[in-house]
Amino acid sequence: MNTSKKILSLFVSVAFSVAGYCSGYLDGNGDGVDDYWWTVTPDYHNSTSYIPGCGYEYEGGYTYTAATAGKYMLQGKKTAGWVSFFTRTLAQNQSHEWIYCDTACSQYYQFRMVRVTTIDDFDDIELYDDQNSLIQTVNDSDTIDVVVAPDSQTQMIVCDSSGSQINGSLLRWKVVTPSSSIAYFTGSYINYASIIALGGPGQYLICVGIGDSFSICFTVNLFKVELEEVSFLGGNYPITRQSDSTVMSSSQWLDLNHDGDVLDSSEHGYPVAYKKGATPTLSAIIKATSSVAGKTIKVRGIGIGFVIDETTASVSGSTITLNPTMANGAFDSSSVRSYSNGSYIITWGVKIGSSSWYNVGKSRNTLYLTYDTPPTIKFENAYGGGFTELYDTALAYACGYANGQSSASSVISNVNSGVASDVGYNAYASPYLITTNPIVAYDDTDGIVCLDGAFLVKGLLASVGISSEVKFIFGGTGTSNRSMFQYSSSTSNLATFYVIKPATDSTPANPHFTYHAAVQYGSTLYDPSYGTSYTSLGLSEVANGGCSEQHSGSLPSPSWNSVDKCTHAP
């Protein structure tokens, strides 16, 4: 008889298989139980007379070392279902040799040792959040305050004295609701969402045990707490909604029914604007579904680039108020940003008394970070009209075009290209000039003239804190002289220059113009009509008499010599 033995330990965490020996696995059946099982190979006993798995006329053994003190049971299985043979009580690290292939078990092919759980093994209950992070440990007879958020997945897991999770198939939970009704659950864990569904917010008694014997009981005060309102203050720029002139300066997130969105009646999610690198101040209102009066409650918020450190809130009945609090940290200081479609998210949490932190909701706002502080006058038109409103549409376009750009020149270049792409250029548009805010150019399907395009770009740049100047380009002997010439047989067809340019939108190629307009920043001219930038437009033909390309912030009156004609004129 082959008497060789293989020493096995629970500390082995991978399978092994050696010819002539058994193959074994830690927690081989995958049930989370502290056990060891093996399948015996046919040639283990070097015998030709055997039942596969174990020779019935032979015996063999393994030495098992208990990783955890407790009662252990030997079990065997044929094809389905485990059969128990006998138990032994072992101290931690105590070894015991199991003799399994005798008359009683010769027909079984798989074997395992299982630590038998009793209520004496129960030590505490650990609470884990939905990220599987430990948030609280509860002992027998404790009383805890717990917040159940809309997305709460907090789980209660029973552990033994070594901190190991106890086999869930053995556990039974007893829950006594605020109205004294009783519900039972089985399994490895339960969560607060399941509990609060039984009787709403209130005080619950929760016990866990085996069968009808409950080892740990504790009291839970369940509060359902949800985010309702968030205001961005301290350095934010008041934004005006272009569609109805509503000024959106506070209460930028309002979720009255606490469903996590702001799509319902009387709710709103307003955009927010700050200078890049600004440190915001915020306030918040959080509502509980029952009174939390007398409780010490702290609130915190985690945003992109900053946090609202835990701050003691004001409490009145079921209303929890975070008074205006300066953030720890700041918005991105490197570039203009557009967090469009409510993509700037702050996760809010509360802590009641000595409880753990619980998430109570997320505010989701559209956020714009400007290059610098916008001036008082944002938009102007060709008639001298000035507009002080910081429009939501202007921020959406300007920050959207310039998203991620860090220098003024790159911001201007992107805004210029964006306008050229989104707004049609029509040198012969009618009516000729916009008489209101140039932002309405986005609604013009016929295209706009160059001057309106220049004022549109200037206003968008001002909305993100960049000052620029509209420049007139024309042919003349100086900035105060605009010399005209005739470019066809009709004396009504006059221009100050002829330029080689491709056809663009509704404007023909190689036009004759009385003037052109662009936006100047530094020494560079940005031209939204053609989506280009330059220091000189490059006029191909001007009037006689020493005329050349001129740039001026104002447009001088024209002069014309009737004999001065373009070489293209008949």
Side-chain angles (χ1 to χ4, degrees), residues 212-263:
D212 291 325
S213 298
F214 295 98
S215 175
I216 297 177
C217 289
F218 62 99
T219 301
V220 178
N221 296 314
L222 282 184
F223 298 94
K224 193 170 185 180
V225 180
E226 298 163 317
L227 179 67
E228 181 170 295
E229 183 177 347
V230 175
S231 290
F232 289 78
L233 309 165
N236 69 311
Y237 304 130
I239 301 174
T240 299
R241 187 161 56 201
Q242 182 187 350
S243 62
D244 61 7
S245 298
T246 296
V247 179
M248 304 173 286
S249 58
S250 64
S251 185
Q252 289 95 343
W253 175 266
L254 185 62
D255 179 13
L256 294 172
N257 63 357
H258 313 139
D259 63 352
D261 64 47
V262 288
L263 304 176

Short mmCIF file of all heavy atoms in Angstrom, two decimals, residues 212-263:
data_model
loop_
_atom_site.label_atom_id
_atom_site.label_comp_id
_atom_site.label_asym_id
_atom_site.label_seq_id
_atom_site.Cartn_x
_atom_site.Cartn_y
_atom_site.Cartn_z
N ASP A 212 -33.14 30.37 14.08
CA ASP A 212 -33.87 31.32 14.92
C ASP A 212 -33.00 31.89 16.03
O ASP A 212 -33.51 32.54 16.94
CB ASP A 212 -35.10 30.64 15.52
CG ASP A 212 -36.15 30.31 14.47
OD1 ASP A 212 -36.29 31.11 13.53
OD2 ASP A 212 -36.80 29.27 14.58
N SER A 213 -31.70 31.61 15.99
CA SER A 213 -30.78 32.14 16.99
C SER A 213 -30.06 33.34 16.40
O SER A 213 -29.38 33.23 15.37
CB SER A 213 -29.75 31.07 17.39
OG SER A 213 -30.39 29.95 17.97
N PHE A 214 -30.22 34.52 17.03
CA PHE A 214 -29.64 35.75 16.50
C PHE A 214 -28.53 36.23 17.44
O PHE A 214 -28.75 36.42 18.63
CB PHE A 214 -30.71 36.82 16.34
CG PHE A 214 -31.73 36.44 15.30
CD1 PHE A 214 -32.95 35.89 15.67
CD2 PHE A 214 -31.46 36.59 13.95
CE1 PHE A 214 -33.88 35.52 14.72
CE2 PHE A 214 -32.38 36.22 12.99
CZ PHE A 214 -33.60 35.69 13.37
N SER A 215 -27.34 36.39 16.87
CA SER A 215 -26.16 36.69 17.67
C SER A 215 -25.92 38.17 17.83
O SER A 215 -25.51 38.62 18.89
CB SER A 215 -24.93 36.05 17.01
OG SER A 215 -23.75 36.40 17.68
N ILE A 216 -26.15 38.96 16.77
CA ILE A 216 -25.89 40.39 16.82
C ILE A 216 -27.18 41.14 16.49
O ILE A 216 -27.84 40.84 15.50
CB ILE A 216 -24.81 40.79 15.80
CG1 ILE A 216 -23.48 40.11 16.13
CG2 ILE A 216 -24.63 42.30 15.75
CD1 ILE A 216 -22.37 40.40 15.13
N CYS A 217 -27.54 42.10 17.34
CA CYS A 217 -28.69 42.97 17.09
C CYS A 217 -28.25 44.42 17.30
O CYS A 217 -27.54 44.73 18.26
CB CYS A 217 -29.84 42.65 18.04
SG CYS A 217 -30.68 41.08 17.71
N PHE A 218 -28.65 45.27 16.40
CA PHE A 218 -28.31 46.69 16.54
C PHE A 218 -29.46 47.53 16.01
O PHE A 218 -30.31 47.05 15.24
CB PHE A 218 -27.00 47.01 15.84
CG PHE A 218 -27.01 46.78 14.35
CD1 PHE A 218 -27.21 47.82 13.46
CD2 PHE A 218 -26.81 45.50 13.85
CE1 PHE A 218 -27.22 47.61 12.10
CE2 PHE A 218 -26.82 45.27 12.47
CZ PHE A 218 -27.02 46.33 11.60
N THR A 219 -29.48 48.79 16.43
CA THR A 219 -30.55 49.71 16.05
C THR A 219 -30.04 50.68 14.99
O THR A 219 -28.94 51.22 15.11
CB THR A 219 -31.04 50.50 17.28
OG1 THR A 219 -31.53 49.57 18.26
CG2 THR A 219 -32.16 51.46 16.90
N VAL A 220 -30.85 50.89 13.97
CA VAL A 220 -30.49 51.79 12.88
C VAL A 220 -31.56 52.87 12.73
O VAL A 220 -32.75 52.55 12.57
CB VAL A 220 -30.35 51.02 11.55
CG1 VAL A 220 -30.02 52.00 10.42
CG2 VAL A 220 -29.29 49.95 11.63
N ASN A 221 -31.14 54.10 12.82
CA ASN A 221 -32.03 55.21 12.48
C ASN A 221 -31.80 55.54 11.01
O ASN A 221 -30.75 56.09 10.65
CB ASN A 221 -31.72 56.43 13.36
CG ASN A 221 -31.99 56.17 14.83
OD1 ASN A 221 -33.04 55.63 15.18
ND2 ASN A 221 -31.06 56.53 15.68
N LEU A 222 -32.76 55.18 10.18
CA LEU A 222 -32.61 55.38 8.74
C LEU A 222 -33.20 56.72 8.31
O LEU A 222 -34.37 57.01 8.56
CB LEU A 222 -33.31 54.25 7.97
CG LEU A 222 -32.60 52.90 7.90
CD1 LEU A 222 -33.40 51.95 7.03
CD2 LEU A 222 -31.20 53.06 7.34
N PHE A 223 -32.35 57.52 7.66
CA PHE A 223 -32.79 58.80 7.14
C PHE A 223 -32.63 58.77 5.62
O PHE A 223 -31.55 58.44 5.12
CB PHE A 223 -31.94 59.94 7.70
CG PHE A 223 -32.03 60.09 9.20
CD1 PHE A 223 -31.11 59.47 10.02
CD2 PHE A 223 -33.04 60.84 9.77
CE1 PHE A 223 -31.17 59.60 11.40
CE2 PHE A 223 -33.12 60.98 11.15
CZ PHE A 223 -32.19 60.35 11.97
N LYS A 224 -33.68 59.12 4.93
CA LYS A 224 -33.56 59.28 3.49
C LYS A 224 -33.31 60.75 3.21
O LYS A 224 -34.15 61.61 3.48
CB LYS A 224 -34.83 58.80 2.78
CG LYS A 224 -34.64 58.65 1.28
CD LYS A 224 -35.82 57.96 0.63
CE LYS A 224 -35.57 57.71 -0.85
NZ LYS A 224 -36.71 57.04 -1.50
N VAL A 225 -32.14 61.04 2.68
CA VAL A 225 -31.69 62.42 2.51
C VAL A 225 -31.28 62.62 1.06
O VAL A 225 -30.53 61.81 0.51
CB VAL A 225 -30.51 62.73 3.45
CG1 VAL A 225 -30.04 64.16 3.28
CG2 VAL A 225 -30.92 62.49 4.90
N GLU A 226 -31.78 63.71 0.44
CA GLU A 226 -31.56 63.90 -0.99
C GLU A 226 -31.24 65.35 -1.32
O GLU A 226 -31.78 66.28 -0.73
CB GLU A 226 -32.80 63.45 -1.77
CG GLU A 226 -33.11 61.97 -1.58
CD GLU A 226 -34.52 61.61 -1.99
OE1 GLU A 226 -35.46 62.36 -1.64
OE2 GLU A 226 -34.70 60.57 -2.64
N LEU A 227 -30.35 65.53 -2.31
CA LEU A 227 -29.95 66.86 -2.74
C LEU A 227 -31.11 67.55 -3.47
O LEU A 227 -31.78 66.96 -4.30
CB LEU A 227 -28.76 66.74 -3.70
CG LEU A 227 -28.23 68.06 -4.29
CD1 LEU A 227 -27.60 68.91 -3.20
CD2 LEU A 227 -27.22 67.76 -5.38
N GLU A 228 -31.32 68.83 -3.13
CA GLU A 228 -32.39 69.60 -3.77
C GLU A 228 -31.88 70.81 -4.55
O GLU A 228 -32.33 71.06 -5.66
CB GLU A 228 -33.41 70.07 -2.72
CG GLU A 228 -34.56 70.86 -3.32
CD GLU A 228 -35.66 71.11 -2.33
OE1 GLU A 228 -36.31 70.12 -1.90
OE2 GLU A 228 -35.90 72.29 -2.00
N GLU A 229 -30.93 71.55 -3.98
CA GLU A 229 -30.57 72.82 -4.60
C GLU A 229 -29.08 73.12 -4.40
O GLU A 229 -28.52 72.84 -3.33
CB GLU A 229 -31.41 73.95 -4.00
CG GLU A 229 -31.18 75.31 -4.60
CD GLU A 229 -32.11 76.36 -3.99
OE1 GLU A 229 -33.08 75.98 -3.31
OE2 GLU A 229 -31.84 77.56 -4.21
N VAL A 230 -28.46 73.68 -5.42
CA VAL A 230 -27.06 74.11 -5.33
C VAL A 230 -26.94 75.49 -5.97
O VAL A 230 -27.49 75.74 -7.04
CB VAL A 230 -26.10 73.14 -6.05
CG1 VAL A 230 -24.67 73.68 -6.04
CG2 VAL A 230 -26.15 71.75 -5.40
N SER A 231 -26.22 76.39 -5.30
CA SER A 231 -25.95 77.72 -5.85
C SER A 231 -24.45 77.93 -5.94
O SER A 231 -23.70 77.64 -5.01
CB SER A 231 -26.56 78.81 -4.96
OG SER A 231 -27.97 78.81 -5.04
N PHE A 232 -24.02 78.45 -7.10
CA PHE A 232 -22.63 78.84 -7.32
C PHE A 232 -22.53 80.33 -7.06
O PHE A 232 -23.19 81.14 -7.73
CB PHE A 232 -22.21 78.52 -8.75
CG PHE A 232 -22.06 77.05 -9.04
CD1 PHE A 232 -23.18 76.26 -9.27
CD2 PHE A 232 -20.81 76.46 -9.10
CE1 PHE A 232 -23.06 74.92 -9.54
CE2 PHE A 232 -20.67 75.11 -9.38
CZ PHE A 232 -21.80 74.32 -9.60
N LEU A 233 -21.67 80.70 -6.13
CA LEU A 233 -21.55 82.09 -5.72
C LEU A 233 -20.08 82.50 -5.76
O LEU A 233 -19.24 81.78 -6.28
CB LEU A 233 -22.11 82.26 -4.31
CG LEU A 233 -23.53 81.68 -4.08
CD1 LEU A 233 -23.82 81.58 -2.60
CD2 LEU A 233 -24.57 82.53 -4.79
N GLY A 234 -19.77 83.67 -5.25
CA GLY A 234 -18.39 84.08 -5.06
C GLY A 234 -17.53 84.05 -6.30
O GLY A 234 -16.72 83.15 -6.47
N GLY A 235 -17.71 85.03 -7.18
CA GLY A 235 -16.87 85.13 -8.36
C GLY A 235 -17.53 84.63 -9.63
O GLY A 235 -16.95 84.76 -10.71
N ASN A 236 -18.73 84.08 -9.52
CA ASN A 236 -19.41 83.63 -10.74
C ASN A 236 -19.97 84.85 -11.49
O ASN A 236 -20.29 85.87 -10.89
CB ASN A 236 -20.54 82.67 -10.41
CG ASN A 236 -21.70 83.32 -9.70
OD1 ASN A 236 -21.51 84.05 -8.72
ND2 ASN A 236 -22.90 83.08 -10.17
N TYR A 237 -20.07 84.73 -12.79
CA TYR A 237 -20.60 85.82 -13.61
C TYR A 237 -22.08 85.58 -13.86
O TYR A 237 -22.46 84.51 -14.36
CB TYR A 237 -19.85 85.89 -14.94
CG TYR A 237 -18.36 86.05 -14.79
CD1 TYR A 237 -17.49 85.22 -15.49
CD2 TYR A 237 -17.82 87.03 -13.96
CE1 TYR A 237 -16.11 85.37 -15.36
CE2 TYR A 237 -16.44 87.18 -13.83
CZ TYR A 237 -15.60 86.34 -14.52
OH TYR A 237 -14.23 86.48 -14.39
N PRO A 238 -22.95 86.54 -13.55
CA PRO A 238 -24.38 86.37 -13.83
C PRO A 238 -24.60 86.18 -15.33
O PRO A 238 -24.12 86.96 -16.15
CB PRO A 238 -25.01 87.67 -13.33
CG PRO A 238 -24.03 88.20 -12.32
CD PRO A 238 -22.68 87.81 -12.84
N ILE A 239 -25.33 85.15 -15.67
CA ILE A 239 -25.59 84.81 -17.08
C ILE A 239 -27.05 85.12 -17.39
O ILE A 239 -27.95 84.80 -16.61
CB ILE A 239 -25.30 83.32 -17.34
CG1 ILE A 239 -23.82 83.01 -17.01
CG2 ILE A 239 -25.59 82.96 -18.79
CD1 ILE A 239 -23.49 81.54 -17.09
N THR A 240 -27.27 85.72 -18.54
CA THR A 240 -28.62 86.02 -19.00
C THR A 240 -29.02 85.03 -20.08
O THR A 240 -28.27 84.80 -21.03
CB THR A 240 -28.72 87.45 -19.56
OG1 THR A 240 -28.40 88.38 -18.52
CG2 THR A 240 -30.13 87.74 -20.07
N ARG A 241 -30.19 84.44 -19.91
CA ARG A 241 -30.70 83.54 -20.94
C ARG A 241 -31.21 84.37 -22.10
O ARG A 241 -32.12 85.19 -21.94
CB ARG A 241 -31.80 82.65 -20.36
CG ARG A 241 -32.27 81.56 -21.33
CD ARG A 241 -32.98 80.45 -20.59
NE ARG A 241 -34.08 80.94 -19.78
CZ ARG A 241 -34.59 80.27 -18.74
NH1 ARG A 241 -34.08 79.10 -18.40
NH2 ARG A 241 -35.61 80.77 -18.06
N GLN A 242 -30.64 84.17 -23.26
CA GLN A 242 -30.98 85.02 -24.41
C GLN A 242 -32.44 84.89 -24.80
O GLN A 242 -33.09 85.87 -25.20
CB GLN A 242 -30.09 84.65 -25.60
CG GLN A 242 -30.34 85.54 -26.83
CD GLN A 242 -29.60 85.06 -28.05
OE1 GLN A 242 -28.75 84.18 -27.97
NE2 GLN A 242 -29.92 85.63 -29.20
N SER A 243 -33.01 83.71 -24.65
CA SER A 243 -34.37 83.46 -25.14
C SER A 243 -35.43 84.26 -24.41
O SER A 243 -36.45 84.63 -25.00
CB SER A 243 -34.69 81.97 -25.06
OG SER A 243 -34.64 81.53 -23.71
N ASP A 244 -35.23 84.54 -23.11
CA ASP A 244 -36.28 85.24 -22.35
C ASP A 244 -35.72 86.27 -21.37
O ASP A 244 -36.46 86.79 -20.53
CB ASP A 244 -37.16 84.26 -21.61
CG ASP A 244 -36.40 83.41 -20.58
OD1 ASP A 244 -35.20 83.69 -20.35
OD2 ASP A 244 -36.99 82.47 -20.03
N SER A 245 -34.42 86.55 -21.42
CA SER A 245 -33.75 87.56 -20.60
C SER A 245 -33.72 87.23 -19.11
O SER A 245 -33.48 88.11 -18.27
CB SER A 245 -34.41 88.94 -20.79
OG SER A 245 -34.27 89.35 -22.15
N THR A 246 -33.96 85.97 -18.74
CA THR A 246 -33.84 85.56 -17.34
C THR A 246 -32.39 85.62 -16.90
O THR A 246 -31.50 85.09 -17.57
CB THR A 246 -34.36 84.12 -17.15
OG1 THR A 246 -35.75 84.08 -17.45
CG2 THR A 246 -34.15 83.64 -15.72
N VAL A 247 -32.13 86.27 -15.75
CA VAL A 247 -30.79 86.34 -15.20
C VAL A 247 -30.60 85.14 -14.27
O VAL A 247 -31.32 84.98 -13.29
CB VAL A 247 -30.55 87.65 -14.44
CG1 VAL A 247 -29.14 87.68 -13.84
CG2 VAL A 247 -30.75 88.84 -15.37
N MET A 248 -29.62 84.31 -14.58
CA MET A 248 -29.42 83.04 -13.87
C MET A 248 -28.19 83.14 -12.98
O MET A 248 -27.12 82.61 -13.28
CB MET A 248 -29.26 81.91 -14.89
CG MET A 248 -30.43 81.79 -15.86
SD MET A 248 -30.17 80.60 -17.20
CE MET A 248 -29.02 81.49 -18.24
N SER A 249 -28.33 83.86 -11.85
CA SER A 249 -27.17 84.19 -11.02
C SER A 249 -27.05 83.32 -9.77
O SER A 249 -26.02 83.34 -9.09
CB SER A 249 -27.23 85.65 -10.60
OG SER A 249 -28.43 85.92 -9.89
N SER A 250 -28.09 82.55 -9.42
CA SER A 250 -28.03 81.67 -8.24
C SER A 250 -29.01 80.52 -8.43
O SER A 250 -29.74 80.47 -9.42
CB SER A 250 -28.36 82.46 -6.95
OG SER A 250 -29.69 82.94 -7.00
N SER A 251 -29.02 79.62 -7.45
CA SER A 251 -29.89 78.44 -7.52
C SER A 251 -29.77 77.77 -8.89
O SER A 251 -30.75 77.51 -9.58
CB SER A 251 -31.35 78.84 -7.25
OG SER A 251 -32.20 77.71 -7.20
N GLN A 252 -28.52 77.49 -9.26
CA GLN A 252 -28.29 76.98 -10.61
C GLN A 252 -28.66 75.50 -10.77
O GLN A 252 -28.72 75.00 -11.89
CB GLN A 252 -26.82 77.18 -11.00
CG GLN A 252 -26.45 78.64 -11.26
CD GLN A 252 -25.87 79.31 -10.04
OE1 GLN A 252 -25.99 78.83 -8.92
NE2 GLN A 252 -25.21 80.45 -10.23
N TRP A 253 -28.87 74.81 -9.67
CA TRP A 253 -29.36 73.42 -9.73
C TRP A 253 -30.55 73.32 -8.80
O TRP A 253 -30.45 73.54 -7.60
CB TRP A 253 -28.28 72.43 -9.30
CG TRP A 253 -28.75 71.00 -9.23
CD1 TRP A 253 -29.22 70.34 -8.14
CD2 TRP A 253 -28.83 70.06 -10.31
NE1 TRP A 253 -29.56 69.06 -8.45
CE2 TRP A 253 -29.32 68.84 -9.78
CE3 TRP A 253 -28.50 70.14 -11.66
CZ2 TRP A 253 -29.52 67.71 -10.56
CZ3 TRP A 253 -28.68 69.01 -12.44
CH2 TRP A 253 -29.19 67.82 -11.90
N LEU A 254 -31.72 73.00 -9.35
CA LEU A 254 -32.93 72.90 -8.53
C LEU A 254 -33.69 71.65 -8.93
O LEU A 254 -34.31 71.59 -10.00
CB LEU A 254 -33.80 74.14 -8.71
CG LEU A 254 -35.05 74.21 -7.82
CD1 LEU A 254 -34.67 74.23 -6.34
CD2 LEU A 254 -35.90 75.44 -8.16
N ASP A 255 -33.64 70.65 -8.05
CA ASP A 255 -34.29 69.36 -8.28
C ASP A 255 -35.33 69.15 -7.19
O ASP A 255 -35.06 68.57 -6.14
CB ASP A 255 -33.23 68.25 -8.25
CG ASP A 255 -33.82 66.86 -8.45
OD1 ASP A 255 -34.99 66.76 -8.86
OD2 ASP A 255 -33.10 65.87 -8.19
N LEU A 256 -36.54 69.64 -7.45
CA LEU A 256 -37.56 69.68 -6.40
C LEU A 256 -38.10 68.30 -6.02
O LEU A 256 -38.50 68.09 -4.87
CB LEU A 256 -38.72 70.58 -6.85
CG LEU A 256 -38.36 72.07 -7.01
CD1 LEU A 256 -39.51 72.82 -7.64
CD2 LEU A 256 -37.98 72.67 -5.66
N ASN A 257 -38.12 67.38 -6.97
CA ASN A 257 -38.64 66.05 -6.62
C ASN A 257 -37.53 65.03 -6.35
O ASN A 257 -37.78 63.84 -6.20
CB ASN A 257 -39.58 65.52 -7.71
CG ASN A 257 -38.88 65.31 -9.04
OD1 ASN A 257 -37.68 65.61 -9.18
ND2 ASN A 257 -39.59 64.79 -10.02
N HIS A 258 -36.31 65.52 -6.31
CA HIS A 258 -35.15 64.72 -5.87
C HIS A 258 -34.96 63.45 -6.69
O HIS A 258 -34.55 62.41 -6.15
CB HIS A 258 -35.30 64.34 -4.38
CG HIS A 258 -35.68 65.48 -3.51
ND1 HIS A 258 -36.59 65.38 -2.48
CD2 HIS A 258 -35.30 66.80 -3.53
CE1 HIS A 258 -36.75 66.54 -1.89
NE2 HIS A 258 -35.98 67.43 -2.52
N ASP A 259 -35.19 63.56 -8.00
CA ASP A 259 -35.03 62.36 -8.83
C ASP A 259 -33.71 62.37 -9.60
O ASP A 259 -33.49 61.52 -10.47
CB ASP A 259 -36.20 62.21 -9.80
CG ASP A 259 -36.30 63.35 -10.80
OD1 ASP A 259 -35.55 64.35 -10.65
OD2 ASP A 259 -37.12 63.27 -11.73
N GLY A 260 -32.85 63.31 -9.27
CA GLY A 260 -31.52 63.32 -9.89
C GLY A 260 -31.43 64.08 -11.19
O GLY A 260 -30.35 64.16 -11.78
N ASP A 261 -32.55 64.64 -11.67
CA ASP A 261 -32.50 65.47 -12.87
C ASP A 261 -33.27 66.76 -12.62
O ASP A 261 -33.90 66.92 -11.57
CB ASP A 261 -33.04 64.73 -14.11
CG ASP A 261 -34.52 64.39 -13.99
OD1 ASP A 261 -35.33 65.26 -13.60
OD2 ASP A 261 -34.89 63.23 -14.29
N VAL A 262 -33.22 67.69 -13.58
CA VAL A 262 -33.92 68.97 -13.42
C VAL A 262 -34.83 69.20 -14.62
O VAL A 262 -34.90 70.30 -15.18
CB VAL A 262 -32.91 70.13 -13.26
CG1 VAL A 262 -32.24 70.08 -11.90
CG2 VAL A 262 -31.83 70.08 -14.36
N LEU A 263 -35.54 68.14 -14.98
CA LEU A 263 -36.37 68.16 -16.18
C LEU A 263 -37.85 68.38 -15.89
O LEU A 263 -38.64 68.53 -16.80
CB LEU A 263 -36.20 66.84 -16.95
CG LEU A 263 -34.75 66.49 -17.35
CD1 LEU A 263 -34.72 65.12 -18.01
CD2 LEU A 263 -34.17 67.55 -18.25
#
